[in-house]
Amino acid sequence: MKSDKKISVPVLRRLPKYYRHLEELSRQGIEKISSKDLSKLINVTASQIRQDLNCFGGFGQQGYGYNVKSLRDSLAEILGVTKRYTAIIVGVGHLGQALANHTTLSRSGVDLISLFDISSEVVGSEVAGHVVKNISQAHRFCQENQVDIAILTLPKSEAVTVANLLSDAGVKGFWNFANTELTLKNKEASVENVYMGDSLMKLCYDISDKGQSL
Amino acid sequence: MKSDKKISVPVLRRLPKYYRHLEELSRQGIEKISSKDLSKLINVTASQIRQDLNCFGGFGQQGYGYNVKSLRDSLAEILGVTKRYTAIIVGVGHLGQALANHTTLSRSGVDLISLFDISSEVVGSEVAGHVVKNISQAHRFCQENQVDIAILTLPKSEAVTVANLLSDAGVKGFWNFANTELTLKNKEASVENVYMGDSLMKLCYDISDKGQSL
């Protein structure tokens, strides 16, 4: 399997979707799937799937289709799900608590190791097995511990300052729910900005008269 | 402005991003923006932006760029943000409460009109100005009230049953956070499945050695 090739962002954005479906198939005990059935399930053309997987050396066998478990494992390896990453959550409101308790983290290979908040109502309480610390301790915590990812569920106004601070302390990735595009001083840091509203707007369009007439 | 043309899904997925950035520019008091600056800001090529907006008749003026407010308003109209939609939340855990209190809803033109849960700990409590009702009342509520969108933040195992029930009662759109691909009996209903883990996996890849070497 070639994994040192430059992979385009659109391909990378599709891989988690493939992985998700293959994981589900595997859970259902399905061992192989034809490229046609996989295409239907994932809602991506068979040729697109083939092209995407060819970036990593290709997987399917003519006339056989895909071996579910083996393709899932290869995608897990490519995506780094088999590695373990450590994460902290900064901002322990409802969204922070929802993410702390969500299977998404562990299924992506991410271990939550601490949570931080500014509010005295939350600091000291236990969330997902961790005692929430004061946000003033976050910088030092990241210096003293290996923290790969900071999950930012704090107000927009504070997100940039906190992210720059944590990036200085060695955090490499930011999963940002602060509804603002994070631009960090440290250009080596990676940021995924999550805008939940985008998919809601798409839905509003779909149920509108315009969407219905498509 | 032509809006009766068939618009592809990739274009539709980019529009909320354009809208979001234009709204931000407008808030900052910026009146016009060159196509080059807009492209840099949005991280989409100028020619792609032009092509996307041409689906609706085009907007920019050669040598002037885009009028921020007017383009924002046109996108708002296309996306249906200027319309009001009604929504209920089914599942009032942390994620449900986060969404109930999030500006995302109102900014997308969506008014929350009720919330439902199964747990006696939550039913009867007030969230975002609404008393949480028992989930057994949801079907009837949707029959008696115009409910455009159901926001599903309930466990996977219950999502399909609840969604089919509400779809029968007239709900047209489902914003689904149940981490499962919803396939409804009513093919007219629209579904947006939200998989938060996908962007986390992309982030894990980015911070991995493979991502760093791109």
Side-chain angles (χ1 to χ4, degrees):
Chain A
M1 186 181 57
K2 291 178 277 174
S3 64
D4 51 351
K5 220 169 144 183
K6 192 176 160 73
I7 305 154
S8 77
V9 173
V11 176
L12 265 181
R13 292 230 172 267
R14 279 190 292 270
L15 294 188
K17 192 175 173 181
Y18 296 175
Y19 175 71
R20 196 173 1 97
H21 281 282
L22 288 158
E23 204 191 17
E24 184 63 39
L25 288 171
S26 171
R27 243 199 310 271
Q28 292 167 12
I30 294 165
E31 286 178 16
K32 66 173 188 168
I33 186 163
S34 73
S35 98
K36 199 177 147 195
D37 286 348
L38 186 64
S39 151
K40 229 167 133 185
L41 189 70
I42 302 189
N43 203 13
V44 170
T45 65
S47 103
Q48 180 75 75
I49 295 177
R50 225 169 6 248
Q51 210 178 310
D52 287 350
L53 297 180
N54 272 341
C55 296
F56 310 97
F59 294 95
Q61 254 181 296
Q62 198 80 37
Y64 174 87
Y66 296 100
N67 177 306
V68 170
K69 203 173 161 309
S70 125
L71 183 53
R72 180 205 63 182
D73 290 346
S74 301
L75 286 174
E77 204 197 306
I78 293 164
L79 286 165
V81 176
T82 47
K83 279 194 185 175
R84 301 308 297 181
Y85 292 102
T86 54
I88 59 169
I89 289 179
V90 189
V92 192
H94 287 301
L95 186 57
Q97 292 192 48
L99 292 170
N101 292 294
H102 209 278
T103 54
T104 289
L105 294 188
S106 60
R107 287 173 67 181
S108 304
V110 173
D111 295 319
L112 183 66
I113 56 169
S114 197
L115 300 101
F116 299 87
D117 201 278
I118 200 165
S119 154
S120 58
E121 278 175 45
V122 183
V123 173
S125 68
E126 201 179 298
V127 172
H130 301 275
V131 174
V132 179
K133 299 185 178 69
N134 192 295
I135 199 169
S136 62
Q137 299 173 258
H139 183 254
R140 191 158 174 192
F141 182 89
C142 293
Q143 284 178 319
E144 292 173 354
N145 297 275
Q146 157 99 17
V147 178
D148 300 311
I149 295 169
I151 302 170
L152 306 177
T153 48
L154 72 179
K156 209 166 166 168
S157 54
E158 295 154 36
V160 183
T161 317
V162 168
N164 276 315
L165 203 69
L166 299 186
S167 164
D168 280 347
V171 178
K172 290 179 284 184
F174 294 86
W175 200 26
N176 173 34
F177 288 82
N179 233 18
T180 186
E181 199 111 350
L182 268 191
T183 315
L184 300 183
K185 285 185 214 146
N186 174 1
K187 296 298 169 206
E188 311 248 302
S190 302
V191 180
E192 272 292 308
N193 297 302
V194 182
Y195 293 99
M196 299 204 285
D198 285 8
S199 64
L200 181 58
M201 282 191 199
K202 163 76 167 52
L203 181 62
C204 287
Y205 181 87
D206 286 341
I207 63 172
S208 73
D209 301 337
K210 280 176 268 178
Q212 293 288 319
S213 69
L214 289 189
Chain B
M1 186 178 58
K2 290 179 277 173
S3 63
D4 50 353
K5 222 170 143 181
K6 193 177 160 77
I7 305 154
S8 79
V9 173
V11 176
L12 266 180
R13 292 230 172 265
R14 280 191 292 271
L15 294 188
K17 190 174 176 184
Y18 296 174
Y19 175 72
R20 197 173 1 97
H21 281 283
L22 288 159
E23 203 192 19
E24 184 62 41
L25 288 170
S26 171
R27 245 201 308 272
Q28 291 167 11
I30 293 165
E31 286 177 18
K32 63 173 190 169
I33 187 162
S34 73
S35 98
K36 199 177 146 196
D37 287 348
L38 187 62
S39 151
K40 229 168 133 184
L41 189 71
I42 302 189
N43 204 13
V44 170
T45 65
S47 103
Q48 180 75 76
I49 296 177
R50 225 170 6 245
Q51 210 177 310
D52 287 350
L53 297 180
N54 272 342
C55 295
F56 311 96
F59 294 95
Q61 255 181 294
Q62 197 80 40
Y64 173 87
Y66 296 100
N67 178 306
V68 171
K69 203 174 162 307
S70 125
L71 183 53
R72 180 204 63 182
D73 291 346
S74 301
L75 286 174
E77 204 196 306
I78 292 164
L79 286 165
V81 176
T82 48
K83 277 195 188 176
R84 302 307 298 181
Y85 291 101
T86 53
I88 59 169
I89 289 179
V90 189
V92 192
H94 286 302
L95 185 57
Q97 291 192 48
L99 292 170
N101 291 295
H102 208 278
T103 54
T104 290
L105 294 188
S106 60
R107 286 172 66 182
S108 304
V110 173
D111 295 319
L112 183 65
I113 56 168
S114 197
L115 300 100
F116 299 87
D117 201 278
I118 201 165
S119 152
S120 59
E121 278 175 45
V122 183
V123 174
S125 68
E126 201 179 297
V127 172
H130 300 274
V131 175
V132 179
K133 299 184 178 68
N134 193 294
I135 201 169
S136 62
Q137 298 175 258
H139 183 254
R140 189 155 175 196
F141 183 89
C142 293
Q143 284 177 317
E144 291 173 354
N145 297 274
Q146 157 98 18
V147 178
D148 300 313
I149 295 169
I151 302 170
L152 305 177
T153 48
L154 70 179
K156 211 166 164 167
S157 53
E158 294 154 38
V160 183
T161 316
V162 168
N164 276 316
L165 202 69
L166 299 186
S167 164
D168 280 345
V171 177
K172 289 178 285 184
F174 293 86
W175 200 26
N176 173 35
F177 289 81
N179 234 19
T180 186
E181 199 111 350
L182 267 191
T183 314
L184 301 183
K185 285 184 215 150
N186 174 2
K187 296 299 170 206
E188 311 249 301
S190 302
V191 180
E192 272 293 308
N193 298 301
V194 183
Y195 294 98
M196 299 204 286
D198 285 7
S199 65
L200 180 59
M201 283 192 196
K202 162 78 168 50
L203 181 62
C204 288
Y205 180 88
D206 286 342
I207 63 173
S208 74
D209 301 339
K210 279 177 268 176
Q212 294 288 319
S213 69
L214 289 189

